[in-house]
Amino acid sequence: MSSLLLIPWFRVEPFTLELGGLQLAIAPFRITVGLAFLTIIGGALLFARRNERSPERVLDVAIMGSLFALPAALLFYWLQRHFEALAEAFPNPASLWALPFGWSSYGGMVGGLIGAMVWKWRTRASLLAVGDCFAFALPFGLAVARFGCFLAKDHPGRISTFFLAVEDYQTRTAPFYPRHDLGLYESMTSLAVGIAVLVVARRPRLPGFYVALVATLLPLLRFILDFLRAGPEVGGDVRYGSLTLGQWVSGSIVLFGLALLEYVERAAMRRTTSQS
């Protein structure tokens, strides 16, 4: 099956770089993950400085969140892609080292949130004020990370002749067909959310607004897109019920985002009423 409208198949493979006799294995996806992390931290600090938030607290939360985000990202990856192998390894923790290593963006976010809650428990400071800084930058960082997924071709979707589908998508076994690429789609939708955040940032907002907005939009789009995701037999995600793990997490975050958005809007109305 071939069409000039489809994206030609390609995949950026890991390569080895020699420096002074040392050989360094370079995985392009890991480079984009690093760039995404720097994008989020840099964007959060920029937002903090321009909106009279504390850059020091942003760095504190980033450090604490990273301590929980990395193991959570690995655990979610195993749950999404290797659930059966993980279940077999559970009675023998030492065998976990035999499982493939990978990263889940949602796992990283959930772990980062846990770290942020620990930070709040220790400092008693406002988490919403700091959270807005990260929420502002998150869509742009996620767009970078997901573009890395597109380059690595590790998020195959269902068979399709849609013009953004990738031709002859090389899954685990032949024959190969044109498929949606969820890495590309999530990169594009994340960038769209980032642009929307820039638009609404033109005027001051109460603490928690950006957390609520991003927690509503990003997971909602992820929930919809995951219906296009391929099954585990070709390298896609395991289904729990009829939904992916990402969809279950997305639905929960959307409910939280909507509740927080209503809370922030009510607070804004109360402030307006008190000032009038």
Side-chain angles (χ1 to χ4, degrees):
M1 189 180 300
S2 177
S3 171
L4 294 177
L5 295 178
L6 300 178
I7 297 175
W9 165 263
F10 72 94
R11 178 164 53 203
V12 180
E13 302 288 354
F15 58 94
T16 301
L17 183 65
E18 293 189 7
L19 291 175
L22 296 176
Q23 291 187 341
L24 301 177
I26 306 296
F29 172 70
R30 293 178 182 175
I31 295 176
T32 57
V33 169
L35 291 175
F37 182 78
L38 294 176
T39 299
I40 294 172
I41 299 300
L45 290 172
L46 180 63
F47 181 90
R49 292 192 176 96
R50 291 190 174 182
N51 292 272
E52 298 181 352
R53 313 287 172 94
S54 170
E56 291 77 14
R57 289 183 174 179
V58 168
L59 291 176
D60 286 345
V61 173
I63 293 172
M64 183 64 71
S66 297
L67 294 177
F68 290 84
L70 296 178
L74 178 59
L75 176 60
F76 270 62
Y77 171 76
W78 285 338
L79 289 172
Q80 287 176 305
R81 301 294 185 87
H82 305 281
F83 177 76
E84 293 183 358
L86 178 62
E88 293 176 358
F90 187 78
N92 182 19
S95 63
L96 290 175
W97 293 105
L99 293 175
F101 277 69
W103 309 104
S104 162
S105 59
Y106 260 167
M109 292 179 200
V110 171
L113 178 59
I114 294 173
M117 295 298 294
V118 172
W119 174 85
K120 177 176 176 56
W121 172 72
R122 293 183 60 189
T123 63
R124 303 289 189 252
S126 172
L127 188 56
L128 290 180
V130 180
D132 276 344
C133 303
F134 289 98
F136 174 84
L138 178 62
F140 300 102
L142 192 58
V144 174
R146 285 308 189 195
F147 189 73
C149 296
F150 170 61
L151 296 179
K153 294 294 186 296
D154 58 358
H155 290 288
R158 297 183 184 274
I159 296 172
S160 173
T161 56
F162 182 56
F163 77 98
L164 288 177
V166 175
E167 186 175 14
D168 296 332
Y169 201 113
Q170 295 184 17
T171 52
R172 292 176 177 175
T173 58
F176 305 134
Y177 301 100
R179 291 182 179 273
H180 295 294
D181 191 303
L182 274 298
L184 175 62
Y185 294 175
E186 287 190 50
S187 180
M188 295 171 64
T189 54
S190 297
L191 182 59
V193 171
I195 294 173
V197 170
L198 285 176
V199 171
V200 300
R202 293 179 178 179
R203 64 184 181 90
R205 305 283 179 173
L206 290 182
F209 173 80
Y210 295 98
V211 174
L213 181 64
V214 172
T216 301
L217 294 181
L218 277 180
L220 178 61
L221 292 171
R222 168 66 183 270
F223 185 91
I224 295 171
L225 287 175
D226 260 24
F227 285 112
L228 302 178
R229 196 175 293 271
E233 67 280 359
V234 294
D237 285 8
V238 175
R239 265 56 174 184
Y240 296 85
S242 58
L243 303 177
T244 66
L245 179 61
Q247 286 177 309
W248 286 109
V249 177
S250 293
S252 302
I253 298 177
V254 167
L255 293 177
F256 163 77
L258 290 173
L260 181 57
L261 193 60
E262 182 180 3
Y263 167 80
V264 173
E265 290 299 322
R266 286 183 177 180
M269 291 177 62
R270 288 195 298 268
R271 172 176 290 191
T272 301
T273 301
S274 64
Q275 293 176 349
S276 60

